[in-house]
Amino acid sequence: MSDFDYDLFVIGGGSGGVRAARVAAGEAGAKVGLAEMDRYGGTCVIRGCVPKKLMVFASEYSHMPAEARAYGWDIADGAFDWSRFHAQLKTELDRLEGVYRKLLSGSGVDSFDARARLKDAHTVELSNGEVKTAKHILIASGGRPVRPDMPNAHLGQVSDDIFHWERLPRSVLIVGGGYIACEFACILHGLGVEVTQYYRGAQILRGFDEEARGLIADAMKERGIDLHTGTNIVEMHRADSPEAQGMEAAPVEASQFGGAHEDAPGSGPVRVKATNGNIRDFDAVLFATGRAPNTADMGLEELGIGLSRNGAIEVDEYSQTKVPSVYALGDVTDRVNLTPVAIREGMAFVETVFKGNPTPVDHELIPSAVFTQPEMGTVGLSEEAARDQEEIEVYCTSFRPMQTAFADRPDRVLMKLIVSKATRKVLGCHIVAPGAGEMIQLAGIAIKMGATKEDFDRTVAVHPTMSEEIVTMRNPMRSA
């Protein structure tokens, strides 16, 4: 009989933690407990990928009537009903949370709706007063959005708050230039909100391919998003506060941002002065300036578990911490913060610990997508990173796709391959286009397998499609 209550205790009910728990219990026969202090499904299902993608779908319909009219349909412009969409969204998230709970119970996992912290290397304390012991502990507590360190930052909101809005603001300032900031800029603009975006850097989407992010920035401006790079907030106050009275700004109409957040911090209007001299009132300010791992007050440092400067748990290639019985995966480790990666890390953990098959986590050549409008799909190296590594050829084309060109819309797409001169392997693929996320998944398979440019060339094109350009680019645009 085991000396512990459980073979495995998981802290965190997000995608990675749930996958590890139910596979360890269902396939490896382990006795597993799991604690979640909030809703099951974690960031992805409850306040990230899933609700955000549903909002992307909703926002894309705003352009449909005008495009349909160009194709001969007698369709009038309509109005977006946030309350109706939001009610359906909450119903769907409730359904998905129920699915996660059923997956755990169906696998024989004991679930605890409580916060957990480590008491020692084999013991967790729950906020409901219970204490549980386990041979192995897996921390999958995820991350959270953070506000910048500046006066009155509490007047702004973060991405988690958007999913609780009862009404849409008339105007919003989004601060940040990463994928979360840019995605919500496109979403809210598509839903009819007047969107201004400030980013302190020279170009949005830092770290992605420069040509691709430039095209997305141009497209966002073309659609009507008021994007300001090299710009940050100098000061912000409630528009009706004494501090704001000395800051002249054009007043906004009565705020529509009410409902459940009527008295919450961040409710508008907020008066903002920017480094470019602009002073404006906004119904809401949204900070998308970074995320932090959820490691505070978990008893980690007391046990000797290493934490990085931003609070991420330090692990080896098998997701093991400096305390042998404690492992960590997902956003709390700040390796590659993507849901499918956390799931893969969970599977590798079970293989390593419960199936006797040591399996390091493979973080190479991970496809990803940014759900701006248009979308960006990317896998492998950017042109800039690749040319710092070796001599390359760049195959690239940008054009107006058939569907939107017929409707006389200015949208452009980009197809780009980065190729090693020495090996002819495709080092990177970058697509900016409607449905780029769907396309890059399939391109990612070929690139992960080590496909060369000639392998792409030998593939017959599917015509007429945007994606056929990936296999029809014969001559390099440039070498580096």
Side-chain angles (χ1 to χ4, degrees):
M1 188 173 188
S2 174
D3 294 331
F4 303 103
D5 297 325
Y6 293 99
D7 300 311
L8 170 66
F9 198 95
V10 179
I11 300 176
S15 297
V18 168
R19 177 62 66 90
R22 67 186 186 87
V23 174
E27 294 185 11
K31 186 176 182 182
V32 181
L34 181 147
E36 169 56 55
M37 61 180 288
D38 198 350
R39 300 186 65 182
Y40 287 69
T43 295
C44 180
V45 173
I46 302 301
R47 49 194 169 271
C49 324
V50 172
K52 178 192 69 181
K53 190 64 181 291
L54 293 171
M55 291 177 72
V56 168
F57 292 147
S59 68
E60 289 176 337
Y61 284 105
S62 62
H63 304 288
M64 185 270 289
E67 189 171 313
R69 287 194 292 271
Y71 278 88
W73 288 90
D74 184 14
I75 297 178
D77 290 336
F80 175 68
D81 186 342
W82 170 260
S83 60
R84 186 168 65 179
F85 168 76
H86 192 241
Q88 180 66 16
L89 179 64
K90 289 193 290 187
T91 299
E92 177 63 6
L93 299 186
D94 289 345
R95 184 189 71 83
L96 291 173
E97 182 181 13
V99 169
Y100 268 64
R101 287 181 177 271
K102 288 180 181 177
L103 287 172
L104 288 170
S105 62
S107 299
V109 177
D110 293 338
S111 298
F112 301 89
D113 294 347
R115 190 181 194 278
R117 70 186 311 276
L118 275 67
K119 185 176 181 180
D120 61 40
H122 295 282
T123 308
V124 295
E125 296 178 306
L126 304 182
S127 56
N128 62 11
E130 295 184 72
V131 176
K132 302 294 180 182
T133 60
K135 184 177 182 180
H136 303 285
I137 297 172
L138 175 65
I139 303 171
S141 50
R144 67 190 187 283
V146 295
R147 289 175 171 80
D149 183 14
M150 61 172 290
N152 292 326
H154 68 280
L155 298 179
Q157 302 198 26
V158 293
S159 58
D160 286 1
D161 299 319
I162 290 180
F163 306 116
H164 300 290
W165 286 357
E166 295 296 333
R167 299 181 185 177
L168 287 178
R170 184 186 67 83
S171 62
V172 64
L173 169 65
I174 297 177
V175 184
Y179 73 93
I180 294 174
C182 294
E183 287 175 338
F184 277 114
C186 293
I187 288 168
L188 292 174
H189 174 264
L191 298 181
V193 178
E194 179 189 332
V195 177
T196 302
Q197 184 177 353
Y198 292 168
Y199 177 51
R200 65 184 181 181
Q203 183 58 285
I204 58 171
L205 298 171
R206 181 171 62 90
F208 291 93
D209 185 85
E210 187 172 326
E211 192 170 12
R213 62 194 184 123
L215 194 154
I216 291 173
D218 290 343
M220 289 171 64
K221 294 174 185 176
E222 182 75 34
R223 287 171 180 254
I225 295 170
D226 189 17
L227 174 61
H228 298 262
T229 53
T231 305
N232 206 347
I233 293 178
V234 175
E235 56 180 311
M236 58 187 290
H237 306 277
R238 289 198 183 279
D240 58 359
S241 69
E243 296 86 352
Q245 300 314 303
M247 301 163 57
E248 293 187 8
V252 297
E253 300 172 8
S255 176
Q256 301 174 37
F257 192 59
H261 282 253
E262 194 166 22
D263 300 316
S267 298
V270 178
R271 186 160 296 176
V272 177
K273 181 177 180 179
T275 53
N276 61 10
N278 287 350
I279 300 175
R280 280 202 55 189
D281 288 352
F282 298 95
D283 276 348
V285 175
L286 174 66
F287 290 118
T289 50
R291 295 179 62 84
N294 287 325
T295 54
D297 190 30
M298 290 187 68
L300 304 181
E301 292 174 293
E302 295 90 328
L303 292 182
I305 293 174
L307 299 179
S308 66
R309 181 177 297 179
N310 72 340
I313 296 177
E314 297 174 348
V315 294
D316 64 14
E317 61 180 336
Y318 299 100
S319 297
Q320 190 174 36
T321 72
K322 292 179 180 178
V323 176
S325 60
V326 180
Y327 292 74
L329 58 79
D331 290 5
V332 77
T333 65
D334 197 29
R335 287 177 286 181
V336 179
N337 296 340
L338 296 170
T339 297
V341 174
I343 292 171
R344 285 296 184 96
E345 290 170 356
M347 298 293 286
F349 163 78
V350 174
E351 286 289 327
T352 299
V353 175
F354 291 100
K355 295 187 177 182
N357 178 29
T359 304
V361 179
D362 183 1
H363 289 121
E364 296 298 318
L365 294 174
I366 297 172
S368 64
V370 179
F371 295 106
T372 45
Q373 295 173 20
E375 293 178 10
M376 174 166 62
T378 181
V379 60
L381 298 176
S382 66
E383 178 179 347
E384 294 71 41
R387 72 186 179 205
D388 288 343
Q389 173 180 294
E390 60 181 286
E391 291 188 348
I392 59 170
E393 290 181 342
V394 178
Y395 296 79
C396 183
T397 181
S398 180
F399 56 94
R400 293 175 69 193
M402 179 189 299
Q403 182 176 0
T404 49
F406 183 85
D408 198 27
R409 285 174 53 184
D411 308 54
R412 297 190 66 82
V413 304
L414 172 75
M415 305 284 169
K416 185 172 186 178
L417 294 176
I418 315 299
V419 178
S420 166
K421 279 187 178 181
T423 66
R424 303 302 296 161
K425 283 187 177 182
V426 177
L427 304 176
C429 177
H430 311 281
I431 302 173
V432 178
E438 304 289 348
M439 295 185 223
I440 204 67
Q441 178 70 83
L442 302 182
I445 298 171
I447 293 170
K448 185 70 174 176
M449 293 176 67
T452 64
K453 177 62 171 64
E454 286 66 36
D455 290 325
F456 276 68
D457 293 343
R458 282 192 291 271
T459 305
V460 176
V462 178
H463 181 75
T465 64
M466 291 181 290
S467 58
E468 67 181 298
E469 297 291 337
I470 286 291
V471 299
T472 58
M473 295 183 289
R474 290 294 184 265
N475 300 312
M477 182 70 70
R478 54 188 171 271
S479 298

